[in-house]
Amino acid sequence: MIQKYVFGKPIETGAVVQEIPETKSEILVMNQNVMEDKVVLFCKMEEEDIIYGLGEQVRGINKRGFSYISDATDDPIHTEGKHSLYGAHNFLIVNGRKIFGIFVDNPGKVVFDVGETSMETLTITTGKDCVIYIIEGESLKEVVKQFRQLIGRSYIAPKWAFGYQQSRWGYENEKDIREVVSGYQENGIPLEAVYLDIDYMEGYKDFTVDKEKFPKFSEFVEELKEQQIHLVPIIDAGVKVEEGYSIYEEGIANDYFCKDEEGENFTAAVWPGKVHFPDVLNAKAREWFGGKYRYLMEQGIDGFWNDMNEPAIFYSEKNLKKVIEEISAMKDKNLDIHSFFYLKDLVCSLSNSSKDYASFYHNMNGRKICHKDVHNLYGFYMTKAAAKAFEKIDPEKRVLLFSRSSYIGMHRYGGIWTGDNHAWWQQLLMSIQQMPSLNMCGILYTGSDIGGFGGDTTKDLLLRWLEFGIFTPLMRNHSAAGTRKQEVYQFGDTTDFRNIIRIRYALIPYLYSEFMKAALEDEMYFRPLAFDYPEDKQAKRVEDQLMVGESIMIAPVYTQNAVGRYVYLPEEMLMVCMTSPEEKRFEVLEKGHHYISVSLNEVVFFVKKNHVLLLAALNEKVKTTADLEQASYEWIGYVPEKAEYLFYQDDGISKKYLSKKNWKVCKFTKEDFSNGYLKKEN
């Protein structure tokens, strides 16, 4: 059951697709207090209550004990003291005597105090104009399913986007890209895509290609496609202020940019220096900006990543002027501790300033709206602009699209990656814990920068991250300029890296099938253990193991120098240990706590009782997802009685998701696995 409560005059965000009648009641499930400029909701939490959700956030799967702020923020230092990251995902679930979800549909700042101020109280503070949905259900899965139906079907990426992808800020030209491709090919390591960061552009200008670096870009794209390698360019939110630049001039001529208080085009700065922001909340401007993706698509591009779309601001023209004047006034003064730190904070305050976000405006459906009131929608609507354009440019084809910033509702148009993380072990654990929270909010096509974006990764960290990353739909190795190169062939002997990435390709038939079921049936691909074992009190407290699809549980290693870890099994399971697609060992473990050894080159996962797992039986010729079409299959199964598996397979590129031809029911009895736990497909 879903109840809808409307406060004030809420902005239509586009998050919800299902019509829900307004509940005419002054009393919510929780206490509520409508103040002059905000709505505050209170909910008493019992000691055993667990709070799930909030999508892309810091800390654990259970969100109790901290405050989280939905306020999309360009901040690459994702330590556990931070309250905001790049996305705003205002949905949580209370798992107590009563199970219910809360969705706060407000595109401005929302604060979720989940027991930080008072350990027994959940307090949600939001603006006075909002819609609040209360979703009740008999189980955690039922609450999620209702919410997912409320907000619409998740984006489905092309099948090639489930292959291994390589990115780095710093691939400057064709030569650099060719070196990356040959580095993988010469070492026999599968590779599906190489990314183009801001270096490919002419002067950091959107929808341009530097002709000196890429003199025959369309031919280069085609050259790579013949090798089944896709090029995926970045698109940033800011349009460079430059006479003669067609995107800038068209935006000026048609009034497509955000405005300041005086009605002038708001000027900020990012990579190219001064920029204007396309007013993607304006339908005409959004259609115009989305149409610009055509330029790259006509040259063979079939995947994009949208970045800097919180929107990130290095500085605004007006704020920079004020800060420089204030700094100039300090010249020749004796700066004591207070004045020095004031100076330091003054400079740091230039970037992503709340004052800047309060100083520019959108034209949304003919209504002038201050950006701070819709701040969390910008990344959503930039990605929607692209997705809607793709429907016109190539309506039957799936295009890879994901974004850094997002709001609930964007999941219908693209995925996300979890932003500019660091090569820290703690960030690997955070990535594991973010996945189910993002799935609850409809974001299925997601993953983190494997190995860490910032800082220098290490061989062991990269191996362990890959061992988790083989299960995430987006499997991308990405690093920053100036850091250690982290293409997997940069670390000496490539045997372990090659085998782990090949295991990913062996798993794709299962992973893709489970992803498609989750998308088409409004369910979760990643789940906390408590979703599958609601009566198991110990399962509720597990923070570092996940269910993946219907058949398996994973327990990644995420600590330095570890040669194993403790695992909790909520039922008897089959442990599968793989050092390559060909090398597997099996062991049945009883319910309970176990210490398991996990070598640095080993992938370990667990198959549920009376469940099966489909793998591609790889040969050395398999280098991309396209090659999987020629592979045979094998089943891993733990079937003491019988099992049934619904296998999904389509062409991987069209939008004919619902064809009955895509589904196959596979049935097994214990006799099928009488010789062990492996069955070759006939």
Side-chain angles (χ1 to χ4, degrees), residues 73-79 82-86 310 352 404 420-421:
T73 302
D74 172 23
D75 183 350
I77 311 299
H78 306 166
T79 50
K82 297 298 173 69
H83 298 273
S84 304
L85 295 180
Y86 303 100
E310 291 72 35
N352 307 315
R404 189 169 76 176
D420 298 341
N421 60 6

Side-chain angles (χ1 to χ4, degrees), residues 227-492:
Q227 303 172 64
Q228 300 296 332
I229 304 292
H230 301 258
L231 271 185
V232 183
I234 196 170
I235 302 295
D236 284 336
V239 170
K240 186 177 183 180
V241 174
E242 181 179 277
E243 297 294 332
Y245 171 35
S246 63
I247 311 295
Y248 166 74
E249 292 189 340
E250 286 177 27
I252 292 291
N254 294 284
D255 228 15
Y256 287 150
F257 295 125
C258 295
K259 305 297 181 184
D260 63 17
E261 182 63 48
E262 289 75 40
E264 300 296 322
N265 292 310
F266 174 70
T267 303
V270 282
W271 303 117
K274 292 181 180 179
V275 299
H276 294 328
F277 292 122
D279 187 0
V280 291
L281 274 64
N282 178 314
K284 290 183 179 179
R286 184 165 63 250
E287 183 178 13
W288 163 75
F289 189 76
K292 296 304 174 184
Y293 287 77
R294 180 185 293 272
Y295 167 72
L296 291 166
M297 292 183 73
E298 288 178 343
Q299 298 185 70
I301 295 297
D302 52 8
F304 299 89
W305 51 313
N306 287 343
D307 197 10
M308 305 294 284
N309 54 358
E310 291 72 35
I313 295 176
F314 291 174
Y315 63 85
S316 71
E317 195 171 50
K318 290 182 178 179
N319 196 21
L320 178 64
K321 183 179 179 181
K322 291 178 183 177
V323 169
I324 288 176
E325 288 174 354
E326 202 162 346
I327 291 173
S328 297
M330 297 182 189
K331 185 179 179 182
D332 300 326
K333 288 187 177 181
N334 179 26
L335 301 182
D336 62 12
I337 183 172
H338 302 292
S339 51
F340 169 74
F341 280 105
Y342 177 76
L343 170 63
K344 187 177 179 181
D345 292 343
L346 194 61
V347 174
C348 292
S349 72
L350 282 169
S351 297
N352 307 315
S353 166
S354 59
K355 292 180 181 178
D356 285 337
Y357 290 133
S359 71
F360 69 96
Y361 296 80
H362 298 272
N363 175 5
M364 192 175 184
N365 302 320
R367 178 182 169 194
K368 181 180 177 181
I369 296 180
C370 182
H371 175 80
K372 71 177 177 61
D373 295 326
V374 289
H375 174 66
N376 294 326
L377 289 184
Y378 197 90
F380 170 5
Y381 276 75
M382 178 183 172
T383 300
K384 180 179 179 180
K388 288 295 185 182
F390 300 160
E391 291 175 5
K392 295 180 179 179
I393 296 167
D394 202 343
E396 298 304 316
K397 183 179 178 181
R398 296 182 228 170
V399 178
L400 173 61
L401 180 63
F402 59 93
S403 171
R404 189 169 76 176
S405 186
S406 61
Y407 182 82
I408 287 174
M410 199 207 79
H411 71 287
R412 300 193 299 273
Y413 302 105
I416 71 164
W417 91 102
T418 57
D420 298 341
N421 60 6
H422 269 71
W424 301 337
W425 290 92
Q426 176 271 340
Q427 305 273 276
L428 170 53
L429 173 60
M430 186 173 75
S431 177
I432 295 165
Q433 294 170 331
Q434 286 176 331
M435 292 300 110
S437 298
L438 286 165
N439 279 197
M440 290 176 210
C441 298
I443 301 165
L444 298 181
Y445 188 78
T446 185
S448 61
D449 285 345
I450 290 173
F453 175 73
D456 293 335
T457 198
T458 58
K459 183 175 182 178
D460 58 341
L461 176 57
L462 183 55
L463 280 166
R464 290 303 193 196
W465 213 315
L466 284 165
E467 288 161 14
F468 167 63
I470 63 173
F471 296 100
T472 60
L474 170 60
M475 187 186 184
R476 182 179 76 149
N477 178 336
H478 183 41
S479 55
T483 64
R484 178 183 187 178
K485 291 183 178 180
Q486 64 184 47
E487 299 85 9
V488 299
Y489 55 80
Q490 303 282 2
F491 295 84

Side-chain angles (χ1 to χ4, degrees), residues 164 184 188-192 498 501-502 505 622-624:
Y164 180 72
Y184 279 92
I189 304 170
L191 178 68
E192 208 81 27
R498 178 171 60 253
I501 294 171
R502 290 183 67 243
Y505 279 76
V622 174
K623 296 295 185 291
T624 69

Side-chain angles (χ1 to χ4, degrees), residues 50-334:
I50 293 174
I51 310 298
Y52 297 108
L54 297 179
E56 182 187 48
Q57 266 294 357
V58 298
R59 302 209 174 201
I61 291 174
N62 182 359
K63 296 300 180 185
R64 281 192 78 162
F66 196 59
S67 291
Y68 310 88
I69 302 175
S70 286
D71 187 28
T73 302
D74 172 23
D75 183 350
I77 311 299
H78 306 166
T79 50
E80 66 178 47
K82 297 298 173 69
H83 298 273
S84 304
L85 295 180
Y86 303 100
H89 308 125
N90 304 339
F91 174 64
L92 55 76
I93 302 175
V94 178
N95 183 21
R97 290 187 190 179
K98 193 171 186 179
I99 299 172
F100 61 95
I102 308 166
F103 172 43
V104 181
D105 194 5
N106 175 12
K109 184 183 292 187
V110 182
V111 179
F112 296 86
D113 184 340
V114 191
E116 181 182 37
T117 302
S118 168
M119 292 183 67
E120 298 79 27
T121 307
L122 164 65
T123 306
I124 302 174
T125 306
T126 179
K128 63 182 176 63
D129 301 310
C130 64
V131 182
I132 295 174
Y133 296 86
I134 306 297
I135 305 166
E136 297 179 68
E138 294 298 317
S139 69
L140 293 163
K141 287 184 177 180
E142 184 184 333
V143 169
V144 170
K145 193 175 186 75
Q146 287 185 78
F147 178 62
R148 294 278 300 284
Q149 290 171 341
L150 177 70
I151 61 177
R153 178 183 293 166
S154 298
Y155 161 79
I156 296 173
K159 192 171 185 178
W160 65 259
F162 289 76
Y164 180 72
Q165 306 175 47
Q166 180 63 55
S167 181
R168 181 174 174 84
W169 173 15
Y171 295 154
E172 293 274 354
N173 48 39
E174 290 184 6
K175 177 176 176 290
D176 289 346
I177 303 298
R178 286 194 178 96
E179 285 179 357
V180 171
V181 173
S182 64
Y184 279 92
Q185 291 176 341
E186 289 169 7
N187 286 283
I189 304 170
L191 178 68
E192 208 81 27
V194 181
Y195 281 68
L196 298 175
D197 211 313
I198 56 176
D199 312 278
Y200 82 95
M201 300 178 188
E202 179 186 306
Y204 307 123
K205 291 181 288 189
D206 279 340
F207 310 112
T208 66
V209 177
D210 190 311
K211 291 181 173 56
E212 290 187 7
K213 298 176 180 178
F214 299 91
K216 297 180 179 179
F217 187 68
S218 61
E219 293 179 19
F220 182 58
V221 173
E222 183 59 30
E223 172 193 325
L224 293 180
K225 276 197 173 179
E226 288 174 0
Q227 303 172 64
Q228 300 296 332
I229 304 292
H230 301 258
L231 271 185
V232 183
I234 196 170
I235 302 295
D236 284 336
V239 170
K240 186 177 183 180
V241 174
E242 181 179 277
E243 297 294 332
Y245 171 35
S246 63
I247 311 295
Y248 166 74
E249 292 189 340
E250 286 177 27
I252 292 291
N254 294 284
D255 228 15
Y256 287 150
F257 295 125
C258 295
K259 305 297 181 184
D260 63 17
E261 182 63 48
E262 289 75 40
E264 300 296 322
N265 292 310
F266 174 70
T267 303
V270 282
W271 303 117
K274 292 181 180 179
V275 299
H276 294 328
F277 292 122
D279 187 0
V280 291
L281 274 64
N282 178 314
K284 290 183 179 179
R286 184 165 63 250
E287 183 178 13
W288 163 75
F289 189 76
K292 296 304 174 184
Y293 287 77
R294 180 185 293 272
Y295 167 72
L296 291 166
M297 292 183 73
E298 288 178 343
Q299 298 185 70
I301 295 297
D302 52 8
F304 299 89
W305 51 313
N306 287 343
D307 197 10
M308 305 294 284
N309 54 358
E310 291 72 35
I313 295 176
F314 291 174
Y315 63 85
S316 71
E317 195 171 50
K318 290 182 178 179
N319 196 21
L320 178 64
K321 183 179 179 181
K322 291 178 183 177
V323 169
I324 288 176
E325 288 174 354
E326 202 162 346
I327 291 173
S328 297
M330 297 182 189
K331 185 179 179 182
D332 300 326
K333 288 187 177 181
N334 179 26

